[in-house]
Amino acid sequence: MRHAWTSASLLSRIAVYVLFICAIPAASAQNAAPVSGAEVYQKRCATCHDQTSSQALSRDMLQKMSAARILRTLDFGLMMGVAYPMKRDEREAVASFLGTKGGDAPPPASTFCSAGIRPMSGPATESWSGWSPSSLNTRYQPAEQAGLTMGQVRHLKLKWALGFPGDVTAFAAPTVVNGTLFVGSAGGAVQALDAKTGCLHWMFQANGPVRAALLPVRNGSLYSLVFGDLTGWVYSLDAKTGKQLWKRRVEEHEAARLTGSPVAQNGVVFVPAASWEESRSVDPQYPCCTFRGSLTALRVSDGSVVWKSYMVDPPKKTGSNSAGALQWGPSGAPVWSAPTIDAKRGLLYVTTGDNYSSPATTTSDAVMALDMKTGRIVWSQQVTANDAYTSACRSKGANCPPENGPDYDFGSSALLVHSPSGREILVAGQKSGVVYALDPDKKGKILWQTRVGKGGLNGGVQWGMASDEQKVYAAVSDVSGVMNTAGPVGGATFDPAQGGGLTALHLEDGEKAWFAPSHPCDPPRPGCSPGQSAALSLIPGVVFSGSLDGHMRAFATEDGQVVWDFDTAKEYATVNGVQAKGGSLDGAGPVIVGGMIFVNSGYPRNGGMPGNVLLAFAPED
Ligand code: HEC
């Protein structure tokens, strides 16, 4: 058997974590006392799970599940709504208190590829490597690599489906290299699959959920597959075998999450860091806030740090909140998305989110340029000043800073493009619903700005735009409705007619070329919204946009007409025999390569429809 089914036990994870607690800077080490799983259970779970009358599983049932499975349920499963304010050590303590030891069962032998199908043995034209086919982050796949024409897009049919066992979210960004598809999952399973058939080459179990794209990087005679997880770990695997080459944490803060995909240049990989701290702050006793957005440069060869740059200065004590918890600032300015490489200028561009606490800084909600060699911040162009916000602001909680939002993060990467007149520009879309064009030669001076949506907490441009160097395409989320973050997932009531919409802007001046309105949910159903939060993907003539209503739609870049529409929110027979269904499309956009398109479906996090399936489409023969 060639597979590397490698499972880190929960206990060893906790042990490693304890070592790291010692390394946390003073500012975030206020709660170093060991956490009791029994106490966490009483405080956070017993009200529902000790009641035999409730629809929740009884405590006895929970005790039959593996600790790894329970942890996954808290991190990205049915209980994530309950777990938002819970810290890493609390999650791990309650999971090991309740659950059985040991990991998940390995995948059945029948799912593995036959000996004749080897990883990465397909043609080089069958590649979409990392978050975007190129590190300019345009999410544009040229014709030769796409292998799909607009005529063929009209005849796309489902070729195979793969289920993620025990998951309710399928949000990872797939990567395809030479015919092999690499994909993470909410359960932390990283898989290498044959793109044509979905058979399994190998599987690797990461410590936490993996949603960022896996990045294949040449490393001597090997290909290293570098990626981060949602608990702050970065891994390098041998892409052909799945064997771990190295692993390290890039961020000591317990709330770190690595959502943005890494990029690489000349043997160095750049890893952005964001966090959960914004939602931890719902707890009035949480000492808000100490996490700082960062970018870390690591040597691909051994994972050693070349440099690390923070987006804000180290936090200092600033007082206490109305509940008596200490307050710290500055904080925040997380980097949610993949950095953009500007090889010509020797720069990396990152976009930042809001601050979490006062004082607000000039580097939040900003596009920033860093020196690729040293990490020095060369310039920063802020588009929204004084934006400090936490989830506590939704209910006027003690940890809401006086700035109180507006929570206009940049959640997606800046695109480095040539406009039709040959001028190089950076284009960035914000949760405010505004798209900005910046001049990379004038410290990010704003060249034009155009509003494409209403914007808001879950509004505006979320996961990413796309550009073919004629136009830039921007879809907006703009979901509206009541979000239920307290109970199990799926409790949101969205307005079935509000949200979404796709706008094409001329790159030269930001003028609107066309607007394709969204499609109201028909019929309206729980978790359904017309919002278009997912990242867009582009091939010559066609732009793809997934919606929270579960539909993947393809639009003609000429005029915005819909040329293909597939409703992913249904049940599937899967190649790995796992019961699977689709749900809302959000997060990573589709990947188009070698005449196929790959779509992950299921995203209950902000109240959308759950799902656990990866779908592969190809034109009908
Ligand atoms: C507000 C009530 C409520 C609270 C609080 C709550 N749960 Fe649940 N939990 C539920 C319900 C309801 C279900 C069943 C959901 C379903 O099957 O649709 C469930 C299901 C689960 C499952 C099974 C999930 C699966 O994937 O099948 C686990 C594990 C779990 N809860 C763990 C916990 C833990 C650990 C805590 C405390 C940290 C917790 N829950 C707190 C209501 C709650």
Side-chain angles (χ1 to χ4, degrees), residues 44-45 47-49 55-57 62 65 69-70 73-74 78-79 82 86 98 488:
R44 304 262 184 204
C45 323
T47 43
C48 298
H49 287 286
Q55 57 164 178
L57 311 173
L62 294 184
M65 300 173 110
R69 166 91 196 272
I70 295 172
T73 304
L74 298 176
L78 281 166
M79 291 294 106
V82 171
M86 290 171 64
L98 284 170

mmCIF file with all atom_site columns, all heavy atoms in Angstrom, residues 44-45 47-49 55-57 62 65 69-70 73-74 78-79 82 86 98 488, ligand 1:
data_model
loop_
_atom_site.group_PDB
_atom_site.id
_atom_site.type_symbol
_atom_site.label_atom_id
_atom_site.label_alt_id
_atom_site.label_comp_id
_atom_site.label_asym_id
_atom_site.label_entity_id
_atom_site.label_seq_id
_atom_site.pdbx_PDB_ins_code
_atom_site.Cartn_x
_atom_site.Cartn_y
_atom_site.Cartn_z
_atom_site.occupancy
_atom_site.B_iso_or_equiv
_atom_site.pdbx_formal_charge
_atom_site.auth_seq_id
_atom_site.auth_comp_id
_atom_site.auth_asym_id
_atom_site.auth_atom_id
_atom_site.pdbx_PDB_model_num
ATOM   1   N  N   . ARG A 1 44  ? -20.624 24.506 28.865 1.00 0.00 ? 44  ARG A N   1
ATOM   2   C  CA  . ARG A 1 44  ? -20.964 24.776 27.466 1.00 0.00 ? 44  ARG A CA  1
ATOM   3   C  C   . ARG A 1 44  ? -21.843 23.730 26.793 1.00 0.00 ? 44  ARG A C   1
ATOM   4   O  O   . ARG A 1 44  ? -22.362 23.987 25.716 1.00 0.00 ? 44  ARG A O   1
ATOM   5   C  CB  . ARG A 1 44  ? -19.675 24.870 26.637 1.00 0.00 ? 44  ARG A CB  1
ATOM   6   C  CG  . ARG A 1 44  ? -18.692 25.901 27.128 1.00 0.00 ? 44  ARG A CG  1
ATOM   7   C  CD  . ARG A 1 44  ? -18.839 27.153 26.342 1.00 0.00 ? 44  ARG A CD  1
ATOM   8   N  NE  . ARG A 1 44  ? -17.834 28.130 26.729 1.00 0.00 ? 44  ARG A NE  1
ATOM   9   C  CZ  . ARG A 1 44  ? -17.984 29.425 26.561 1.00 0.00 ? 44  ARG A CZ  1
ATOM   10  N  NH1 . ARG A 1 44  ? -19.077 29.881 26.000 1.00 0.00 ? 44  ARG A NH1 1
ATOM   11  N  NH2 . ARG A 1 44  ? -17.047 30.260 26.935 1.00 0.00 ? 44  ARG A NH2 1
ATOM   12  N  N   . CYS A 1 45  ? -21.932 22.533 27.352 1.00 0.00 ? 45  CYS A N   1
ATOM   13  C  CA  . CYS A 1 45  ? -22.594 21.449 26.616 1.00 0.00 ? 45  CYS A CA  1
ATOM   14  C  C   . CYS A 1 45  ? -23.755 20.819 27.375 1.00 0.00 ? 45  CYS A C   1
ATOM   15  O  O   . CYS A 1 45  ? -24.726 20.366 26.757 1.00 0.00 ? 45  CYS A O   1
ATOM   16  C  CB  . CYS A 1 45  ? -21.601 20.331 26.274 1.00 0.00 ? 45  CYS A CB  1
ATOM   17  S  SG  . CYS A 1 45  ? -19.945 20.869 25.839 1.00 0.00 ? 45  CYS A SG  1
ATOM   18  N  N   . THR A 1 47  ? -26.304 21.676 29.209 1.00 0.00 ? 47  THR A N   1
ATOM   19  C  CA  . THR A 1 47  ? -27.692 22.139 29.099 1.00 0.00 ? 47  THR A CA  1
ATOM   20  C  C   . THR A 1 47  ? -28.426 21.395 27.988 1.00 0.00 ? 47  THR A C   1
ATOM   21  O  O   . THR A 1 47  ? -29.601 21.102 28.127 1.00 0.00 ? 47  THR A O   1
ATOM   22  C  CB  . THR A 1 47  ? -27.785 23.647 28.785 1.00 0.00 ? 47  THR A CB  1
ATOM   23  O  OG1 . THR A 1 47  ? -26.819 23.935 27.804 1.00 0.00 ? 47  THR A OG1 1
ATOM   24  C  CG2 . THR A 1 47  ? -27.598 24.490 30.009 1.00 0.00 ? 47  THR A CG2 1
ATOM   25  N  N   . CYS A 1 48  ? -27.765 21.094 26.910 1.00 0.00 ? 48  CYS A N   1
ATOM   26  C  CA  . CYS A 1 48  ? -28.428 20.375 25.810 1.00 0.00 ? 48  CYS A CA  1
ATOM   27  C  C   . CYS A 1 48  ? -28.172 18.874 25.866 1.00 0.00 ? 48  CYS A C   1
ATOM   28  O  O   . CYS A 1 48  ? -29.088 18.087 25.704 1.00 0.00 ? 48  CYS A O   1
ATOM   29  C  CB  . CYS A 1 48  ? -27.962 20.907 24.464 1.00 0.00 ? 48  CYS A CB  1
ATOM   30  S  SG  . CYS A 1 48  ? -28.375 22.644 24.220 1.00 0.00 ? 48  CYS A SG  1
ATOM   31  N  N   . HIS A 1 49  ? -26.919 18.475 26.126 1.00 0.00 ? 49  HIS A N   1
ATOM   32  C  CA  . HIS A 1 49  ? -26.589 17.059 25.958 1.00 0.00 ? 49  HIS A CA  1
ATOM   33  C  C   . HIS A 1 49  ? -26.878 16.201 27.185 1.00 0.00 ? 49  HIS A C   1
ATOM   34  O  O   . HIS A 1 49  ? -26.832 14.981 27.083 1.00 0.00 ? 49  HIS A O   1
ATOM   35  C  CB  . HIS A 1 49  ? -25.129 16.907 25.502 1.00 0.00 ? 49  HIS A CB  1
ATOM   36  C  CG  . HIS A 1 49  ? -24.942 17.305 24.069 1.00 0.00 ? 49  HIS A CG  1
ATOM   37  N  ND1 . HIS A 1 49  ? -25.371 16.518 23.033 1.00 0.00 ? 49  HIS A ND1 1
ATOM   38  C  CD2 . HIS A 1 49  ? -24.426 18.419 23.506 1.00 0.00 ? 49  HIS A CD2 1
ATOM   39  C  CE1 . HIS A 1 49  ? -25.100 17.124 21.879 1.00 0.00 ? 49  HIS A CE1 1
ATOM   40  N  NE2 . HIS A 1 49  ? -24.534 18.285 22.143 1.00 0.00 ? 49  HIS A NE2 1
ATOM   41  N  N   . GLN A 1 55  ? -33.399 17.227 21.386 1.00 0.00 ? 55  GLN A N   1
ATOM   42  C  CA  . GLN A 1 55  ? -33.048 16.536 20.139 1.00 0.00 ? 55  GLN A CA  1
ATOM   43  C  C   . GLN A 1 55  ? -31.538 16.304 20.035 1.00 0.00 ? 55  GLN A C   1
ATOM   44  O  O   . GLN A 1 55  ? -31.060 15.617 19.139 1.00 0.00 ? 55  GLN A O   1
ATOM   45  C  CB  . GLN A 1 55  ? -33.566 17.323 18.932 1.00 0.00 ? 55  GLN A CB  1
ATOM   46  C  CG  . GLN A 1 55  ? -33.039 18.736 18.914 1.00 0.00 ? 55  GLN A CG  1
ATOM   47  C  CD  . GLN A 1 55  ? -33.196 19.431 17.586 1.00 0.00 ? 55  GLN A CD  1
ATOM   48  O  OE1 . GLN A 1 55  ? -32.851 20.578 17.466 1.00 0.00 ? 55  GLN A OE1 1
ATOM   49  N  NE2 . GLN A 1 55  ? -33.708 18.738 16.581 1.00 0.00 ? 55  GLN A NE2 1
ATOM   50  N  N   . ALA A 1 56  ? -30.780 16.900 20.965 1.00 0.00 ? 56  ALA A N   1
ATOM   51  C  CA  . ALA A 1 56  ? -29.335 16.680 20.974 1.00 0.00 ? 56  ALA A CA  1
ATOM   52  C  C   . ALA A 1 56  ? -29.044 15.243 21.400 1.00 0.00 ? 56  ALA A C   1
ATOM   53  O  O   . ALA A 1 56  ? -29.803 14.650 22.153 1.00 0.00 ? 56  ALA A O   1
ATOM   54  C  CB  . ALA A 1 56  ? -28.678 17.658 21.940 1.00 0.00 ? 56  ALA A CB  1
ATOM   55  N  N   . LEU A 1 57  ? -27.930 14.695 20.928 1.00 0.00 ? 57  LEU A N   1
ATOM   56  C  CA  . LEU A 1 57  ? -27.532 13.347 21.314 1.00 0.00 ? 57  LEU A CA  1
ATOM   57  C  C   . LEU A 1 57  ? -27.270 13.331 22.813 1.00 0.00 ? 57  LEU A C   1
ATOM   58  O  O   . LEU A 1 57  ? -26.816 14.319 23.379 1.00 0.00 ? 57  LEU A O   1
ATOM   59  C  CB  . LEU A 1 57  ? -26.240 12.945 20.603 1.00 0.00 ? 57  LEU A CB  1
ATOM   60  C  CG  . LEU A 1 57  ? -26.185 13.180 19.102 1.00 0.00 ? 57  LEU A CG  1
ATOM   61  C  CD1 . LEU A 1 57  ? -24.790 12.885 18.579 1.00 0.00 ? 57  LEU A CD1 1
ATOM   62  C  CD2 . LEU A 1 57  ? -27.197 12.297 18.425 1.00 0.00 ? 57  LEU A CD2 1
ATOM   63  N  N   . LEU A 1 62  ? -22.345 10.729 22.828 1.00 0.00 ? 62  LEU A N   1
ATOM   64  C  CA  . LEU A 1 62  ? -21.131 11.513 22.563 1.00 0.00 ? 62  LEU A CA  1
ATOM   65  C  C   . LEU A 1 62  ? -19.900 10.718 22.993 1.00 0.00 ? 62  LEU A C   1
ATOM   66  O  O   . LEU A 1 62  ? -18.861 10.768 22.342 1.00 0.00 ? 62  LEU A O   1
ATOM   67  C  CB  . LEU A 1 62  ? -21.164 12.848 23.312 1.00 0.00 ? 62  LEU A CB  1
ATOM   68  C  CG  . LEU A 1 62  ? -22.234 13.859 22.897 1.00 0.00 ? 62  LEU A CG  1
ATOM   69  C  CD1 . LEU A 1 62  ? -22.047 15.157 23.674 1.00 0.00 ? 62  LEU A CD1 1
ATOM   70  C  CD2 . LEU A 1 62  ? -22.198 14.140 21.406 1.00 0.00 ? 62  LEU A CD2 1
ATOM   71  N  N   . MET A 1 65  ? -18.190 8.515  20.455 1.00 0.00 ? 65  MET A N   1
ATOM   72  C  CA  . MET A 1 65  ? -17.502 9.108  19.306 1.00 0.00 ? 65  MET A CA  1
ATOM   73  C  C   . MET A 1 65  ? -16.030 9.307  19.645 1.00 0.00 ? 65  MET A C   1
ATOM   74  O  O   . MET A 1 65  ? -15.667 9.416  20.816 1.00 0.00 ? 65  MET A O   1
ATOM   75  C  CB  . MET A 1 65  ? -18.119 10.469 18.972 1.00 0.00 ? 65  MET A CB  1
ATOM   76  C  CG  . MET A 1 65  ? -19.585 10.388 18.627 1.00 0.00 ? 65  MET A CG  1
ATOM   77  S  SD  . MET A 1 65  ? -20.276 12.046 18.450 1.00 0.00 ? 65  MET A SD  1
ATOM   78  C  CE  . MET A 1 65  ? -20.554 12.073 16.735 1.00 0.00 ? 65  MET A CE  1
ATOM   79  N  N   . ARG A 1 69  ? -13.209 13.299 16.311 1.00 0.00 ? 69  ARG A N   1
ATOM   80  C  CA  . ARG A 1 69  ? -14.467 13.629 15.645 1.00 0.00 ? 69  ARG A CA  1
ATOM   81  C  C   . ARG A 1 69  ? -15.197 14.753 16.382 1.00 0.00 ? 69  ARG A C   1
ATOM   82  O  O   . ARG A 1 69  ? -15.748 15.668 15.776 1.00 0.00 ? 69  ARG A O   1
ATOM   83  C  CB  . ARG A 1 69  ? -15.328 12.354 15.593 1.00 0.00 ? 69  ARG A CB  1
ATOM   84  C  CG  . ARG A 1 69  ? -16.778 12.529 15.242 1.00 0.00 ? 69  ARG A CG  1
ATOM   85  C  CD  . ARG A 1 69  ? -17.015 12.419 13.746 1.00 0.00 ? 69  ARG A CD  1
ATOM   86  N  NE  . ARG A 1 69  ? -18.321 12.940 13.373 1.00 0.00 ? 69  ARG A NE  1
ATOM   87  C  CZ  . ARG A 1 69  ? -19.439 12.235 13.358 1.00 0.00 ? 69  ARG A CZ  1
ATOM   88  N  NH1 . ARG A 1 69  ? -19.407 10.961 13.685 1.00 0.00 ? 69  ARG A NH1 1
ATOM   89  N  NH2 . ARG A 1 69  ? -20.574 12.792 13.019 1.00 0.00 ? 69  ARG A NH2 1
ATOM   90  N  N   . ILE A 1 70  ? -15.188 14.702 17.726 1.00 0.00 ? 70  ILE A N   1
ATOM   91  C  CA  . ILE A 1 70  ? -15.871 15.733 18.521 1.00 0.00 ? 70  ILE A CA  1
ATOM   92  C  C   . ILE A 1 70  ? -15.187 17.087 18.324 1.00 0.00 ? 70  ILE A C   1
ATOM   93  O  O   . ILE A 1 70  ? -15.839 18.113 18.135 1.00 0.00 ? 70  ILE A O   1
ATOM   94  C  CB  . ILE A 1 70  ? -15.919 15.331 20.016 1.00 0.00 ? 70  ILE A CB  1
ATOM   95  C  CG1 . ILE A 1 70  ? -16.792 14.072 20.160 1.00 0.00 ? 70  ILE A CG1 1
ATOM   96  C  CG2 . ILE A 1 70  ? -16.459 16.465 20.879 1.00 0.00 ? 70  ILE A CG2 1
ATOM   97  C  CD1 . ILE A 1 70  ? -16.785 13.452 21.542 1.00 0.00 ? 70  ILE A CD1 1
ATOM   98  N  N   . THR A 1 73  ? -16.234 18.507 15.160 1.00 0.00 ? 73  THR A N   1
ATOM   99  C  CA  . THR A 1 73  ? -17.603 19.024 15.239 1.00 0.00 ? 73  THR A CA  1
ATOM   100 C  C   . THR A 1 73  ? -17.609 20.445 15.803 1.00 0.00 ? 73  THR A C   1
ATOM   101 O  O   . THR A 1 73  ? -18.382 21.288 15.374 1.00 0.00 ? 73  THR A O   1
ATOM   102 C  CB  . THR A 1 73  ? -18.449 18.098 16.140 1.00 0.00 ? 73  THR A CB  1
ATOM   103 O  OG1 . THR A 1 73  ? -18.366 16.783 15.606 1.00 0.00 ? 73  THR A OG1 1
ATOM   104 C  CG2 . THR A 1 73  ? -19.880 18.523 16.189 1.00 0.00 ? 73  THR A CG2 1
ATOM   105 N  N   . LEU A 1 74  ? -16.718 20.688 16.771 1.00 0.00 ? 74  LEU A N   1
ATOM   106 C  CA  . LEU A 1 74  ? -16.624 22.025 17.368 1.00 0.00 ? 74  LEU A CA  1
ATOM   107 C  C   . LEU A 1 74  ? -15.946 22.991 16.400 1.00 0.00 ? 74  LEU A C   1
ATOM   108 O  O   . LEU A 1 74  ? -16.350 24.134 16.254 1.00 0.00 ? 74  LEU A O   1
ATOM   109 C  CB  . LEU A 1 74  ? -15.826 21.982 18.680 1.00 0.00 ? 74  LEU A CB  1
ATOM   110 C  CG  . LEU A 1 74  ? -16.420 21.127 19.808 1.00 0.00 ? 74  LEU A CG  1
ATOM   111 C  CD1 . LEU A 1 74  ? -15.481 21.102 21.004 1.00 0.00 ? 74  LEU A CD1 1
ATOM   112 C  CD2 . LEU A 1 74  ? -17.784 21.653 20.229 1.00 0.00 ? 74  LEU A CD2 1
ATOM   113 N  N   . LEU A 1 78  ? -21.229 20.479 13.229 1.00 0.00 ? 78  LEU A N   1
ATOM   114 C  CA  . LEU A 1 78  ? -22.546 20.912 13.681 1.00 0.00 ? 78  LEU A CA  1
ATOM   115 C  C   . LEU A 1 78  ? -22.510 21.837 14.886 1.00 0.00 ? 78  LEU A C   1
ATOM   116 O  O   . LEU A 1 78  ? -23.415 22.630 15.075 1.00 0.00 ? 78  LEU A O   1
ATOM   117 C  CB  . LEU A 1 78  ? -23.375 19.675 14.040 1.00 0.00 ? 78  LEU A CB  1
ATOM   118 C  CG  . LEU A 1 78  ? -23.977 18.929 12.848 1.00 0.00 ? 78  LEU A CG  1
ATOM   119 C  CD1 . LEU A 1 78  ? -24.462 17.555 13.279 1.00 0.00 ? 78  LEU A CD1 1
ATOM   120 C  CD2 . LEU A 1 78  ? -25.122 19.728 12.254 1.00 0.00 ? 78  LEU A CD2 1
ATOM   121 N  N   . MET A 1 79  ? -21.478 21.750 15.716 1.00 0.00 ? 79  MET A N   1
ATOM   122 C  CA  . MET A 1 79  ? -21.437 22.530 16.956 1.00 0.00 ? 79  MET A CA  1
ATOM   123 C  C   . MET A 1 79  ? -20.619 23.807 16.837 1.00 0.00 ? 79  MET A C   1
ATOM   124 O  O   . MET A 1 79  ? -20.292 24.421 17.832 1.00 0.00 ? 79  MET A O   1
ATOM   125 C  CB  . MET A 1 79  ? -20.879 21.660 18.098 1.00 0.00 ? 79  MET A CB  1
ATOM   126 C  CG  . MET A 1 79  ? -21.781 20.546 18.531 1.00 0.00 ? 79  MET A CG  1
ATOM   127 S  SD  . MET A 1 79  ? -23.311 21.144 19.288 1.00 0.00 ? 79  MET A SD  1
ATOM   128 C  CE  . MET A 1 79  ? -24.469 20.805 17.988 1.00 0.00 ? 79  MET A CE  1
ATOM   129 N  N   . VAL A 1 82  ? -21.999 26.827 18.620 1.00 0.00 ? 82  VAL A N   1
ATOM   130 C  CA  . VAL A 1 82  ? -21.833 26.777 20.077 1.00 0.00 ? 82  VAL A CA  1
ATOM   131 C  C   . VAL A 1 82  ? -20.388 27.122 20.448 1.00 0.00 ? 82  VAL A C   1
ATOM   132 O  O   . VAL A 1 82  ? -20.116 27.767 21.458 1.00 0.00 ? 82  VAL A O   1
ATOM   133 C  CB  . VAL A 1 82  ? -22.168 25.354 20.587 1.00 0.00 ? 82  VAL A CB  1
ATOM   134 C  CG1 . VAL A 1 82  ? -21.801 25.194 22.044 1.00 0.00 ? 82  VAL A CG1 1
ATOM   135 C  CG2 . VAL A 1 82  ? -23.640 25.047 20.351 1.00 0.00 ? 82  VAL A CG2 1
ATOM   136 N  N   . MET A 1 86  ? -15.254 29.560 22.313 1.00 0.00 ? 86  MET A N   1
ATOM   137 C  CA  . MET A 1 86  ? -14.359 28.636 23.030 1.00 0.00 ? 86  MET A CA  1
ATOM   138 C  C   . MET A 1 86  ? -12.937 28.682 22.502 1.00 0.00 ? 86  MET A C   1
ATOM   139 O  O   . MET A 1 86  ? -12.705 28.674 21.296 1.00 0.00 ? 86  MET A O   1
ATOM   140 C  CB  . MET A 1 86  ? -14.886 27.199 22.922 1.00 0.00 ? 86  MET A CB  1
ATOM   141 C  CG  . MET A 1 86  ? -16.156 26.984 23.713 1.00 0.00 ? 86  MET A CG  1
ATOM   142 S  SD  . MET A 1 86  ? -16.880 25.376 23.352 1.00 0.00 ? 86  MET A SD  1
ATOM   143 C  CE  . MET A 1 86  ? -15.617 24.267 23.962 1.00 0.00 ? 86  MET A CE  1
ATOM   144 N  N   . LEU A 1 98  ? -14.765 13.828 26.651 1.00 0.00 ? 98  LEU A N   1
ATOM   145 C  CA  . LEU A 1 98  ? -15.934 13.073 26.205 1.00 0.00 ? 98  LEU A CA  1
ATOM   146 C  C   . LEU A 1 98  ? -15.564 11.850 25.367 1.00 0.00 ? 98  LEU A C   1
ATOM   147 O  O   . LEU A 1 98  ? -16.119 10.766 25.559 1.00 0.00 ? 98  LEU A O   1
ATOM   148 C  CB  . LEU A 1 98  ? -16.831 13.959 25.334 1.00 0.00 ? 98  LEU A CB  1
ATOM   149 C  CG  . LEU A 1 98  ? -17.687 15.004 26.022 1.00 0.00 ? 98  LEU A CG  1
ATOM   150 C  CD1 . LEU A 1 98  ? -18.300 15.931 24.972 1.00 0.00 ? 98  LEU A CD1 1
ATOM   151 C  CD2 . LEU A 1 98  ? -18.778 14.349 26.860 1.00 0.00 ? 98  LEU A CD2 1
ATOM   152 N  N   . PRO A 1 488 ? -27.000 25.136 17.155 1.00 0.00 ? 488 PRO A N   1
ATOM   153 C  CA  . PRO A 1 488 ? -26.354 24.341 16.115 1.00 0.00 ? 488 PRO A CA  1
ATOM   154 C  C   . PRO A 1 488 ? -26.509 25.027 14.754 1.00 0.00 ? 488 PRO A C   1
ATOM   155 O  O   . PRO A 1 488 ? -27.395 25.839 14.571 1.00 0.00 ? 488 PRO A O   1
ATOM   156 C  CB  . PRO A 1 488 ? -27.124 23.017 16.158 1.00 0.00 ? 488 PRO A CB  1
ATOM   157 C  CG  . PRO A 1 488 ? -27.826 22.988 17.463 1.00 0.00 ? 488 PRO A CG  1
ATOM   158 C  CD  . PRO A 1 488 ? -28.071 24.405 17.839 1.00 0.00 ? 488 PRO A CD  1
HETATM 159 C  C1  . HEC B 2 .   ? -27.891 24.652 22.302 1.00 0.00 ? 1   HEC B C1  1
HETATM 160 C  C2  . HEC B 2 .   ? -27.859 23.236 22.510 1.00 0.00 ? 1   HEC B C2  1
HETATM 161 C  C3  . HEC B 2 .   ? -26.515 22.550 22.369 1.00 0.00 ? 1   HEC B C3  1
HETATM 162 C  C4  . HEC B 2 .   ? -25.337 22.850 23.021 1.00 0.00 ? 1   HEC B C4  1
HETATM 163 C  C5  . HEC B 2 .   ? -25.077 23.950 24.033 1.00 0.00 ? 1   HEC B C5  1
HETATM 164 C  C6  . HEC B 2 .   ? -24.374 21.875 22.569 1.00 0.00 ? 1   HEC B C6  1
HETATM 165 N  N1  . HEC B 2 .   ? -24.946 21.023 21.676 1.00 0.00 ? 1   HEC B N1  1
HETATM 166 FE FE1 . HEC B 2 .   ? -24.021 19.484 20.689 1.00 0.00 ? 1   HEC B FE1 1
HETATM 167 N  N2  . HEC B 2 .   ? -25.721 19.095 19.652 1.00 0.00 ? 1   HEC B N2  1
HETATM 168 C  C7  . HEC B 2 .   ? -26.929 19.755 19.827 1.00 0.00 ? 1   HEC B C7  1
HETATM 169 C  C8  . HEC B 2 .   ? -27.914 19.194 18.920 1.00 0.00 ? 1   HEC B C8  1
HETATM 170 C  C9  . HEC B 2 .   ? -29.358 19.660 18.777 1.00 0.00 ? 1   HEC B C9  1
HETATM 171 C  C10 . HEC B 2 .   ? -27.242 18.187 18.181 1.00 0.00 ? 1   HEC B C10 1
HETATM 172 C  C11 . HEC B 2 .   ? -27.828 17.310 17.091 1.00 0.00 ? 1   HEC B C11 1
HETATM 173 C  C12 . HEC B 2 .   ? -27.783 18.092 15.812 1.00 0.00 ? 1   HEC B C12 1
HETATM 174 C  C13 . HEC B 2 .   ? -28.249 17.284 14.629 1.00 0.00 ? 1   HEC B C13 1
HETATM 175 O  O1  . HEC B 2 .   ? -28.057 16.060 14.634 1.00 0.00 ? 1   HEC B O1  1
HETATM 176 O  O2  . HEC B 2 .   ? -28.776 17.899 13.730 1.00 0.00 ? 1   HEC B O2  1
HETATM 177 C  C14 . HEC B 2 .   ? -25.876 18.157 18.682 1.00 0.00 ? 1   HEC B C14 1
HETATM 178 C  C15 . HEC B 2 .   ? -24.901 17.298 18.199 1.00 0.00 ? 1   HEC B C15 1
HETATM 179 C  C16 . HEC B 2 .   ? -23.626 17.192 18.713 1.00 0.00 ? 1   HEC B C16 1
HETATM 180 C  C17 . HEC B 2 .   ? -22.624 16.252 18.258 1.00 0.00 ? 1   HEC B C17 1
HETATM 181 C  C18 . HEC B 2 .   ? -22.763 15.268 17.118 1.00 0.00 ? 1   HEC B C18 1
HETATM 182 C  C19 . HEC B 2 .   ? -22.354 15.987 15.845 1.00 0.00 ? 1   HEC B C19 1
HETATM 183 C  C20 . HEC B 2 .   ? -22.235 15.108 14.651 1.00 0.00 ? 1   HEC B C20 1
HETATM 184 O  O3  . HEC B 2 .   ? -21.380 15.444 13.821 1.00 0.00 ? 1   HEC B O3  1
HETATM 185 O  O4  . HEC B 2 .   ? -22.986 14.137 14.525 1.00 0.00 ? 1   HEC B O4  1
HETATM 186 C  C21 . HEC B 2 .   ? -21.509 16.462 19.021 1.00 0.00 ? 1   HEC B C21 1
HETATM 187 C  C22 . HEC B 2 .   ? -20.182 15.729 18.912 1.00 0.00 ? 1   HEC B C22 1
HETATM 188 C  C23 . HEC B 2 .   ? -21.819 17.524 19.944 1.00 0.00 ? 1   HEC B C23 1
HETATM 189 N  N3  . HEC B 2 .   ? -23.101 17.952 19.727 1.00 0.00 ? 1   HEC B N3  1
HETATM 190 C  C24 . HEC B 2 .   ? -20.932 18.008 20.887 1.00 0.00 ? 1   HEC B C24 1
HETATM 191 C  C25 . HEC B 2 .   ? -21.183 19.101 21.700 1.00 0.00 ? 1   HEC B C25 1
HETATM 192 C  C26 . HEC B 2 .   ? -20.232 19.626 22.635 1.00 0.00 ? 1   HEC B C26 1
HETATM 193 C  C27 . HEC B 2 .   ? -18.842 19.078 22.885 1.00 0.00 ? 1   HEC B C27 1
HETATM 194 C  C28 . HEC B 2 .   ? -20.825 20.706 23.226 1.00 0.00 ? 1   HEC B C28 1
HETATM 195 C  C29 . HEC B 2 .   ? -20.230 21.655 24.223 1.00 0.00 ? 1   HEC B C29 1
HETATM 196 C  C30 . HEC B 2 .   ? -18.991 22.284 23.865 1.00 0.00 ? 1   HEC B C30 1
HETATM 197 C  C31 . HEC B 2 .   ? -22.145 20.846 22.649 1.00 0.00 ? 1   HEC B C31 1
HETATM 198 N  N4  . HEC B 2 .   ? -22.327 19.858 21.738 1.00 0.00 ? 1   HEC B N4  1
HETATM 199 C  C32 . HEC B 2 .   ? -23.040 21.830 23.009 1.00 0.00 ? 1   HEC B C32 1
HETATM 200 C  C33 . HEC B 2 .   ? -27.177 20.788 20.703 1.00 0.00 ? 1   HEC B C33 1
HETATM 201 C  C34 . HEC B 2 .   ? -26.245 21.407 21.519 1.00 0.00 ? 1   HEC B C34 1
#
